[in-house]
């Protein structure tokens, strides 16, 4: 199983079309994706993104610490 264990697909400024990115990842054999929230206000965005996309999980971190 291939897992993308750290990405920021929930960041709309970096990934304006996350559905296309998810499609490409799945086409390449990625079965699960973990989006990483980097600060408290980003945790909610990451969580909601994961809840609304199949095979996507989220974690919250504190960057840059």
């Amino acid at each position: 199983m291939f897992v993308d264990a750290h990405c920021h697909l929930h960041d709309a400024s970096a990934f304006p079309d996350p559905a296309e990115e998810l499609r490409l990842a799945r086409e390449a054999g990625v079965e699960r994706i973990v989006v990483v929230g980097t600060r408290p206000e980003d945790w909610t965005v990451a969580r909601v993104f994961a809840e609304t996309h199949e095979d996507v999980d989220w974690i919250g971190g504190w960057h840059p610490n």
Side-chain angles (χ1 to χ4, degrees), residues 10 35-37 42-51 57-59:
H10 65 291
V35 293
V36 180
D42 192 39
W43 299 341
T44 301
V45 178
R47 180 183 53 80
V48 169
F49 185 89
E51 289 174 350
D57 297 302
W58 77 281
I59 60 172

Side-chain angles (χ1 to χ4, degrees), residues 3-12 14-15 22 32-51 55-65:
V3 176
D4 183 338
H6 183 132
C7 69
H8 301 275
L9 288 178
H10 65 291
D11 180 350
F15 298 98
L22 289 168
R32 295 207 66 84
I33 295 175
V34 179
V35 293
V36 180
T38 58
R39 58 195 183 285
E41 58 272 16
D42 192 39
W43 299 341
T44 301
V45 178
R47 180 183 53 80
V48 169
F49 185 89
E51 289 174 350
D55 300 325
V56 176
D57 297 302
W58 77 281
I59 60 172
W62 195 276
H63 185 74
N65 299 321

Side-chain angles (χ1 to χ4, degrees), residues 11-24:
D11 180 350
S13 64
F15 298 98
D17 188 1
E20 176 64 6
E21 300 296 335
L22 289 168
R23 185 190 70 74
L24 291 170

